[in-house]
Each structure stands twice: as C-alpha cells, then as structure tokens.
Amino acid sequence: MGAIQEIFGLHGPAYLEHFGARMPAEHSKVIEAIIGCRTPGNASLWYGCESCGQLEVLPRCCGNRHCPGCQAHKAYAWLDTQLQRQLPTHHFMLTFTVPEPLRAFLRRHQRIGYATLFEASAAAIKKLAPDPKFLAADTPGFLGVLHTWGRQLQYHPHIHYLVPGGALSSQDGRWHACSPGFYLPVHALSAIFRAKFRDAMEGADLLAEIPAEVWNIDWNVHCQAVGSGQTTLKYLARYVFKVAISDQRIVRFDDTQVWFRYRKVHSNRVRTMALPIFEFMHRFLQHVLPRGFMKVRYYGFVSPSFSMPLEELKARVELAQGFALRDSEIEPERITTTAPRCCPHCGGRLRYQRTILPPRVRSPIAPAAPAMMPSPAPG
C-alpha cells in the first residue's frame, strides 16, 4: 500500500463526513477508488501459469486516472506513441498561465473554464502562425496538456504545449520552419489569449463573475526552446494519467500532518513542506478533473486524424531543412514498458484467465451529492 492510499484510507471517511455536503461527487469517487485500489474488496484478476499451471490471483487496480498507483502502463504507452510521432525538427514548449484573480472562477466553473483555456490558447497560436512576419503558414500543429497544480499542490491552472518549430502552408504545400530560438511573440500570444477567453466568457454569460482587474493585467505566456522535445514529452507523460503528487514525494505522515518534498521554481534544492492532513487531502482533490474531461488535446498536423500521412509530413519537414539534422537527432527513443507477469513458482509466463467481481454492497463512503468545492482546512 502506498503512502497516499494509506493517508486516504485512514482519514478519507472523516474527510467525507466533514466536507461531504460541499464537495463534488467526483471527489468522493476518487477517495473511494484510491482506498479500494488493489485491495481484497476490489475485483480479482485470475492468471494461470503456462508452464506449471499454478493459479495466481491478484487484486485489480481501481483504474481511476487520479489514483497515484494506477495506469503507469498507459503513461508508458502514450509516451512511446508520441515519441514515434515526433517530427525531425526542433521543438518549443509554450506555457499559457492565467492570472491569480481568475483562479477562483476557474475552480467554480472547471468544465467550461478548462475547455476555454484550451480553445483560447490554441486560437492564439493559430491566429499568429499565418502572419508573414512569423511562420507564414496556416497549419501549425501542437499537443497540449492541462496542469492545475504547482509544486506545493496549490491550485495553479496552466496549459503546456509541445510545438514543432514550423507549420504547413496550404498555399504552397511546404513546411515553413522557424528559427531554433524563436517561435511566436509571447506578448502577442498573451493579448490574443486573454481576448479570446473574455469573448468566450461573455458569450457564456459568465463575465460578471470574473473580477474586472483580470482584463487589465498581462496573462503570462512563456516560450522555451526544447530541442528535439523528447525530454519535454517525458516530463508531460508523468502527469497525463495522474495528478499532482506521487508516493515518492511523501517523506512521512502521522495522525495530524503530511510531509512531502518539493523544489521551488529555478532551484534544485529539495525542500520539505508539512501540511495538516485535511489540507493535504484538499489540495490533492482540487486537481480532480470533471468526469470525462480530456486533459490532453491535439491540434493541426499533430492530431492523429490529420489528413496527411505521418511519413509524408516527416519527409516534407526533412526536405525543407535539407536533411540537415543528424541521424541521432531524428531517431526517436524507444520506451520499454513493464515486463510481462511471471509465475512466482516457476518463472513461467502468466496468462490472464478471468476477472472475479466482488459482491455488490453499498460502500461505507458512498458519494455525497455534488455542490461546491470544500474550503481549505484550517491551519
């Protein structure tokens, strides 16, 4: 049992009793999933050894995308797919961040708020790419991942985009590369991002709920050259199927507090923070996404459904650059996924046989009716 699962197992029922009437149903479901993950009360997976015939019964994981102990295989598979789809060119990471006064609004309106963050930021990139002063091409491509947390688990919504350094032109059919050190002007992206978000909120009749100061301050957009992009993909993959914090960062916990490691931005020194139990759980749960919300999105030629075959797209990029990149820069790294299950008795290969579901009983921590986010715990 991991540290986070143990924390929720010990204190989840009390947290639900205290905040249950004010918390979204998704939060209750996440608590229940984490507590039951890989426990005897969950379903069982039956495997049979191909060599000795021994039966091996393993508890099934919960499969919840917010569980810190689940879905590592999905993260590996996603990363491997993206590495194979990378274009043979330089890349950038664009980060779109909202100002602090807007965060309370986004917490109240997560589904429309997060979706609009994607729409407004992507629209800003698409608007500037065709400009003759920049890419002079009307089809950029990029993938985006929504993050909602900072290093201390605080609420800090932002979107990271991994962007190949160029765009396709529908006018001449060619790849228009940008320089390795500049993609698009961040100040212009910021202004368009803010204006697009404002227009969407006005159209949704939500403008009155947003503080007026939000529209008079800069919205931070950061652009960083990231070479081949492989390191950035590895960074993003850690959070595509999980949230906020892993067991490895938990130093210790007791009946009142949780201690965890973190690093400040632009610092490599490891620090330790202590939070009251309920505050730690609250910070973890505020990053639970609305049900069915897609936190990874693909645009333009990066989309798997793009009309041009990937190999043809790669060939156009290489042709435009005169095949200037070295083979080591073009060849993507392969990711090794987890090894197949082996029999603990003879080392033979285990083959899946069936899933046995537990008896249907009412959970002792059944989800409460959704309402609003719980207030931070005192202290």
Side-chain angles (χ1 to χ4, degrees), residues 20 22 40 65 94 123 130 132 187 189 237 260 264 272 281 284 288 324 332 345-346:
R22 292 181 287 156
R65 63 173 170 170
L94 282 171
H187 292 296
L189 287 171
F260 63 93
K264 286 189 175 180
T272 301
M281 297 173 68
F284 182 96
V288 170
H345 304 281
C346 72

Side-chain angles (χ1 to χ4, degrees), residues 1-8 34 66-70 72 149-153 237-239 241-253 258-263 280 284 287:
M1 178 181 291
I4 295 174
Q5 184 180 25
E6 191 171 353
I7 291 168
F8 275 88
I34 291 175
H66 302 99
C67 176
C70 282
W149 57 86
R151 301 186 182 193
Q152 300 174 31
L153 306 188
R238 294 201 301 265
Y239 303 107
F241 296 97
K242 296 182 182 179
V243 296
I245 190 170
S246 63
D247 285 325
Q248 287 70 33
R249 288 178 58 194
I250 305 296
V251 177
R252 62 187 175 92
F253 62 92
V258 180
W259 288 262
F260 63 93
R261 290 187 293 268
Y262 73 98
R263 288 186 176 92
F280 174 83
F284 182 96
H287 306 299

Side-chain angles (χ1 to χ4, degrees), residues 297-308:
R297 305 195 180 189
Y298 308 86
Y299 300 87
F301 55 75
V302 169
S303 172
S305 62
F306 187 62
S307 58
M308 183 181 296

Side-chain angles (χ1 to χ4, degrees), residues 124-157:
I125 298 173
K126 293 176 182 178
K127 184 175 179 64
L128 287 183
D131 193 310
K133 298 191 298 293
F134 307 127
L135 298 176
D138 55 359
T139 309
F142 42 95
L143 71 84
V145 179
L146 171 69
H147 284 184
T148 62
W149 57 86
R151 301 186 182 193
Q152 300 174 31
L153 306 188
Q154 74 273 27
Y155 187 65
H156 178 52

